[in-house]
Amino acid sequence: MRRLATAFVAVSVLALAGCAQDFDKGPEGKVTEKVKDGKKFYLVVDPAKAGDETKFRVSKYDYHDCNRGSKYPKCVGD
């Protein structure tokens, strides 16, 4: 019974680890646009307010947490 419980825990941990999304962090700046392309979520950030916007992929949770006009990455995890 103990082996079965240990195996179940090990499989559960591996399954949850496979579900985590890990995208590169974008530049700090102001969120100017949010883009959803199917199941992919993107934020567009203007780091220097100079018109040099950067589009990068984020998790759906970060996408929903960050609104237009908010400061990235401060909006993540607030």
Side-chain angles (χ1 to χ4, degrees):
M1 184 69 171
R2 182 175 268 181
R3 284 185 181 175
L4 181 61
T6 304
F8 178 74
V9 169
V11 168
S12 298
V13 168
L14 289 175
L16 289 175
C19 294
Q21 295 177 333
D22 188 24
F23 300 108
D24 292 335
K25 249 179 110 172
E28 292 184 16
K30 185 176 181 180
V31 177
T32 58
E33 189 176 350
K34 295 170 63 171
V35 180
K36 183 178 174 188
D37 183 15
K39 292 187 178 184
K40 296 178 184 175
F41 301 92
Y42 298 91
L43 292 178
V44 180
V45 171
D46 188 357
K49 297 181 183 178
D52 297 330
E53 296 179 331
T54 303
K55 179 179 174 183
F56 55 95
R57 190 169 175 197
V58 295
S59 71
K60 67 180 177 182
Y61 305 107
D62 292 346
Y63 177 85
H64 291 294
D65 287 345
C66 295
N67 297 314
R68 288 178 188 88
S70 62
K71 292 186 178 188
Y72 181 85
K74 187 175 180 350
C75 57
V76 176
D78 283 348

